[in-house]
Amino acid sequence: MTSGAEPLPQQVERWRLLVDHLPALVAYWDRDLRNVVCNAAYLRWFGLTPAQVHGMHIRDLLGAALYCANKPHIDGALAGQHQRFDRVLVTAAGETRHTQAEYIPHLTDEGVAGFFVLVADITEQVEARQDLAAAQSLAGVGGYTIDPVTGTLRLSPEVLAMLGLDPADPSPTMDEYVAAVHPEDRDRVRALRVRAEHGEEYETDYRVLTPDGSVRHVHSRTSRVLGPDGAVVLLRGVMQDETEVQRLADDLATTNRLLTDLIGMLGHDLAQPVTATNGYLEILDQEWDDLDTDERRSLVRRASRTGTRSQGLLADVLALVSIGASSLTTRPEAVDLVAVLEEAREHARLTLTLTCETPARAWVDPVHAARIMDNLLVNAARYGRAPYVVGVREDAGEVVVRLRDHGEGVPAAFLPQMFDRFSRAQTGVAAQVAGTGFGLYLVRELARANGGTVRHRVPPDGTGAEFEVRLPVARTLPPTDAPVPEPRRPR
């Protein structure tokens, strides 16, 4: 023994004190899987004494289920292979803890004599990662890395989930990721990929297509990780899902466009009839004594018609605002659609043939019914030509109103957006006729709100346009002795 060296028993005791004060679980199991020694943390975890553990088979300590789960790692350690794995364990006190275990083979000249066990309690780290993942998921944020040398891309589980991929699957290759980018943004992302492989930082927005076909808007930002020599060894990035932000921005832009269009419409389409009404009333006021009875009546009728037109436009605006705010309510009742059509004909000043095969009472909000028929007939008067034919009948629990004109019809290119808000054809008669562009949109939305539908048909002879509105038959029927309306004749 070297002079001044600590006696071996004291060294052993010092090592035991050191191991017993480690927070990790430390033990040694021989080749027969019998315990040789373990530290104090190991004993506390399982709630046993040194005498109880010494010589115990590892199966008896772990229990049958945990032993079966760990058996492949035990066999690996006895085969001389270092084992590392994670486990969720329950302590003797009933606490659930996350652990990382290592089985380290004890190699001798004769082979593997046993293995050391080192178990670290990583509960705090796991819970911190879980909290971070939850916060990232809530914020729509995830991380990624790019190896500028190999081009290897690694996406965090949060980014994989953001892109509609299974977090348990491996990250896509860079080529696979670029292929998932929206086609309109793909060239720009390819250029960014080249910059990344040269170790450049970047920040950008683009769109990706998820496997289910939906579009996600993402914001991506990278920063460089430099090696000791100053070279870029890694690009580390953060990606944020901005799909909801983009949706809100689109909704705000749509609302702003709606307000702008409404203001423009009020300033043009509503100003005209109001100005005309005021003009007629002003003539009546200033020239009343100089006008004969027929002239007075004519001016009153004109003022009444322009006032009615203003009232209809205001009703359309209120309906449009309610639809846009998702606050449209219906108060359905039994409504005679023939009577509504007669009134709408007066407003549109149309000469038409109206036929009715059956009682035409629909279960619909009467105000909405008036707006539907008014807009249909005004649309026909503006863009169609005589003769105008309207048929009303009952079919499979619905009242069907079919309007046919003999104008130039709807341009084929305009058919897909014909019922969209503020859409107007740019060719044919529509290009020369003033209009708001939301008449047919209101017809569709008001019909839907009342459980009905509207559609356009190209007549068999290819001339003009035909619109069909279907509304539910009234729940309450007129008295049985009520006369069936006679077919209407040309007006």
Side-chain angles (χ1 to χ4, degrees):
M1 180 182 297
T2 305
S3 176
E6 188 175 39
L8 183 60
Q10 293 182 18
Q11 291 184 41
V12 171
E13 183 61 25
R14 190 176 298 279
W15 277 107
R16 171 168 286 280
L17 287 172
L18 174 64
V19 173
D20 277 345
H21 281 81
L22 290 176
L25 281 64
V26 180
Y28 180 82
W29 301 82
D30 63 21
R31 187 166 184 82
D32 296 326
L33 303 183
R34 299 287 176 177
N35 180 262
V36 176
V37 66
C38 61
N39 70 343
Y42 208 103
L43 296 172
R44 287 194 301 271
W45 186 283
F46 290 99
L48 299 173
T49 65
Q52 291 173 315
V53 173
H54 184 71
M56 178 183 288
H57 194 281
I58 195 170
R59 179 183 56 247
D60 298 330
L61 179 76
L62 299 178
L66 186 56
Y67 175 74
C68 288
N70 287 6
K71 185 67 163 55
H73 301 290
I74 293 172
D75 293 341
L78 293 179
Q81 300 165 1
H82 190 145
Q83 305 290 305
R84 179 181 289 115
F85 56 96
D86 293 344
R87 280 283 180 267
V88 177
L89 301 177
V90 179
T91 69
E95 294 181 287
T96 300
R97 310 295 289 177
H98 297 269
T99 65
Q100 185 174 84
E102 291 190 67
Y103 290 174
I104 305 168
H106 176 201
L107 302 175
T108 66
D109 293 339
E110 288 78 22
V112 178
F115 60 92
F116 300 93
V117 173
L118 176 64
V119 180
D121 186 343
I122 59 172
T123 303
E124 292 184 1
Q125 296 94 312
V126 170
E127 289 179 347
R129 287 200 300 268
Q130 291 174 343
D131 290 343
L132 176 61
Q136 289 178 331
S137 176
L138 185 63
V141 176
Y144 61 90
T145 60
I146 302 172
D147 187 324
V149 177
T150 64
T152 301
L153 172 69
R154 295 189 183 278
L155 305 178
S156 72
E158 293 76 24
V159 172
L160 289 169
M162 187 188 307
L163 303 178
L165 303 175
D166 189 343
D169 292 341
S171 293
T173 64
M174 183 65 83
D175 288 337
E176 291 171 338
Y177 181 80
V178 172
V181 173
H182 193 283
E184 295 177 5
D185 299 337
R186 202 168 289 160
D187 288 343
R188 183 159 51 87
V189 172
R190 285 195 183 102
L192 292 173
R193 171 186 175 179
V194 173
R195 290 176 56 184
E197 290 174 351
H198 284 81
E200 296 184 38
E201 297 180 340
Y202 64 83
E203 182 171 0
T204 189
D205 298 297
Y206 56 92
R207 294 162 293 174
V208 293
L209 300 174
T210 63
D212 64 2
S214 61
V215 177
R216 310 298 296 178
H217 295 258
V218 300
H219 180 82
S220 178
R221 183 177 69 252
T222 66
S223 58
R224 297 178 296 177
V225 178
L226 304 179
D229 59 353
V232 178
V233 297
L234 192 69
L235 282 169
R236 191 180 303 279
V238 175
M239 185 178 293
Q240 183 168 13
D241 187 347
E242 295 193 332
T243 305
E244 184 64 16
V245 174
Q246 187 63 45
R247 186 191 67 79
L248 292 174
D250 290 343
D251 288 348
L252 179 60
T254 299
T255 300
N256 287 337
R257 285 196 301 271
L258 172 60
L259 291 174
T260 300
D261 290 335
L262 283 176
I263 291 170
M265 188 275 293
L266 289 171
H268 180 270
D269 295 274
L270 188 57
Q272 184 179 4
V274 169
T275 301
T277 302
N278 290 336
Y280 296 139
L281 294 176
E282 186 176 347
I283 293 172
L284 286 169
D285 180 54
Q286 294 177 359
E287 302 180 18
W288 181 270
D289 294 333
D290 299 327
L291 299 172
D292 60 32
T293 301
D294 289 340
E295 289 174 326
R296 292 170 185 170
R297 287 175 177 172
S298 176
L299 287 169
V300 169
R301 282 194 299 269
R302 292 179 186 179
S304 176
R305 281 197 298 267
T306 55
T308 300
R309 182 182 172 194
S310 300
Q311 186 178 13
L313 285 170
L314 285 174
D316 282 350
V317 170
L318 292 175
L320 190 66
V321 171
S322 296
I323 293 168
S326 301
S327 61
L328 183 67
T329 58
T330 61
R331 296 175 177 83
E333 59 184 71
V335 175
D336 182 354
L337 292 187
V338 171
V340 174
L341 281 163
E342 288 282 15
E343 200 169 321
R345 182 193 64 78
E346 294 290 339
H347 296 168
R349 288 183 288 176
L350 274 183
T351 298
L352 54 82
T353 300
L354 174 59
T355 60
C356 180
E357 301 174 3
T358 57
R361 294 171 66 83
W363 189 252
V364 60
D365 187 305
V367 175
H368 295 167
R371 300 316 312 142
I372 290 171
M373 300 309 161
D374 275 359
N375 278 293
L376 273 181
L377 295 190
V378 168
N379 185 77
R382 282 180 176 170
Y383 307 113
R385 283 198 300 267
Y388 300 97
V389 180
V390 178
V392 184
R393 63 186 176 88
E394 185 177 323
D395 177 53
E398 295 178 314
V399 179
V400 183
V401 178
R402 186 172 292 172
L403 167 63
R404 165 78 188 276
D405 71 68
H406 291 75
E408 67 180 27
V410 180
F414 182 62
L415 289 174
Q417 63 263 26
M418 177 171 48
F419 291 101
D420 293 346
R421 185 172 58 193
F422 299 119
S423 62
R424 300 192 69 237
Q426 302 301 313
T427 60
V429 66
Q432 286 80 43
V433 177
T436 60
F438 60 72
L440 291 179
Y441 169 77
L442 283 176
V443 170
R444 183 189 67 182
E445 295 303 311
L446 293 177
R448 283 179 175 175
N450 287 273
T453 59
V454 60
R455 63 174 175 169
H456 165 266
R457 290 177 173 177
V458 177
D461 62 4
T463 302
E466 183 176 283
F467 290 89
E468 180 185 89
V469 176
R470 288 176 172 264
L471 294 168
V473 168
R475 299 175 185 174
T476 57
L477 298 175
T480 55
D481 58 350
V484 176
E486 292 293 330
R488 288 347 191 243
R489 300 304 176 193
R491 305 274 178 176

